[in-house]
Amino acid sequence: DARVTQTPRHKVTEMGQEVTMRCQPILGHNTVFWYRQTMMQGLELLAYFRNRAPLDDSGMPKDRFSAEMPDATLATLKIQPSEPRDSAVYFCASGSRPLEDTQYFGPGTRLTVL
Amino acid sequence: RKEVEQDPGPFNVPEGATVAFNCTYSNSASQSFFWYRQDCRKEPKLLMSVYSSGNEDGRFTAQLNRASQYISLLIRDSKLSDSATYLCVTKAAGNKLTFGGGTRVLVKP
């Protein structure tokens, strides 16, 4: 049963520290999405990639967030420096043409910035 | 105003009863529509797509009203395992999904 994996599952850090979250999309999927979920804002799209190329990162604070796909099996989301307002659950999802409408979510990284 | 609006609930439903709830969307260019389900502290999972003619999947029925820009989900014969948050999702041209805030459903014995 193919799944999206994310590491770490939980991260507690102090304000100002760098945070790196990793995602392994389902093998063969060529689209990867990063979302952030909070109680107040719900699920928000931060960035997405197709065939490793960034297509849209308009939802991402550019000054501190960066997203990359070093290769087809790894997507990363970095926050530097982290702030308490970044505390949220960060989900990665992947999809595959022609069924890109269906996105498969990973279990999420629960980030707490103190 | 959010692009996809949902009643947050909770909808408290006796086991075996029927529950229905809607969501409204503001982007008239939306082309595809879905319901996702999210269990507590878990990731969202696709429940079903929503087609213009309406569609059923077992005990779940989804309807789309393009003229009024709303989508509905009906759950018949509710089970305890149906307790979850149901996310209404739209997609315009491109690949971006827009999620509603979710409707929480609690099925009680």
Side-chain angles (χ1 to χ4, degrees), chain A residues 75-92:
Chain A
T76 62
L77 180 66
K78 290 187 182 180
I79 308 174
Q80 168 66 343
S82 57
E83 297 181 1
R85 59 180 166 150
D86 301 328
S87 298
V89 181
Y90 290 82
F91 288 105
C92 173

Side-chain angles (χ1 to χ4, degrees), chain A residues 33 35 37 41-43 45 48 50 55-56 58 91 100-103 105-107 110, chain B residues 2 32 34 36 38 41-46 49 87 91 94-97 99-101:
Chain A
F33 305 81
Y35 291 91
Q37 187 173 40
Q41 299 297 327
L43 204 57
L45 178 67
Y48 78 95
R50 181 182 296 148
L55 289 191
D56 188 338
S58 58
F91 288 105
E100 275 181 9
D101 284 357
T102 303
Q103 294 183 14
F105 282 73
R110 188 170 295 271
Chain B
K2 289 195 130 191
S32 304
F34 314 90
Y36 274 68
Q38 187 173 23
R41 300 179 78 84
K42 298 284 190 181
E43 70 273 23
K45 293 182 180 178
L46 178 67
S49 301
L87 302 168
K91 186 172 88 76
N95 301 102
K96 293 172 63 171
L97 299 184
F99 286 78

Side-chain angles (χ1 to χ4, degrees), chain B residues 19-87:
Chain B
V19 61
F21 42 89
N22 298 336
C23 90
T24 58
Y25 61 94
S26 59
N27 185 356
S28 58
S30 298
Q31 298 175 348
S32 304
F33 308 89
F34 314 90
W35 284 103
Y36 274 68
R37 172 196 168 124
Q38 187 173 23
D39 294 306
C40 187
R41 300 179 78 84
K42 298 284 190 181
E43 70 273 23
K45 293 182 180 178
L46 178 67
L47 177 66
M48 58 196 301
S49 301
V50 185
Y51 303 121
S52 297
S53 55
N55 49 298
E56 268 189 32
D57 184 0
R59 298 180 294 106
F60 297 82
T61 300
Q63 296 279 353
L64 168 63
N65 186 317
R66 284 188 186 270
S68 301
Q69 295 188 191
Y70 76 82
I71 306 152
S72 65
L73 182 66
L74 182 145
I75 308 173
R76 285 185 301 278
D77 187 23
S78 299
K79 311 291 184 191
L80 297 176
S81 57
D82 295 333
S83 296
T85 297
Y86 291 85
L87 302 168

Side-chain angles (χ1 to χ4, degrees), chain A residues 25-26 28-33 93-97 99-100 102-104:
Chain A
I26 293 172
H29 281 192
N30 62 352
T31 313
V32 174
F33 305 81
S94 70
S96 175
R97 284 186 163 183
L99 297 176
E100 275 181 9
T102 303
Q103 294 183 14
Y104 298 85

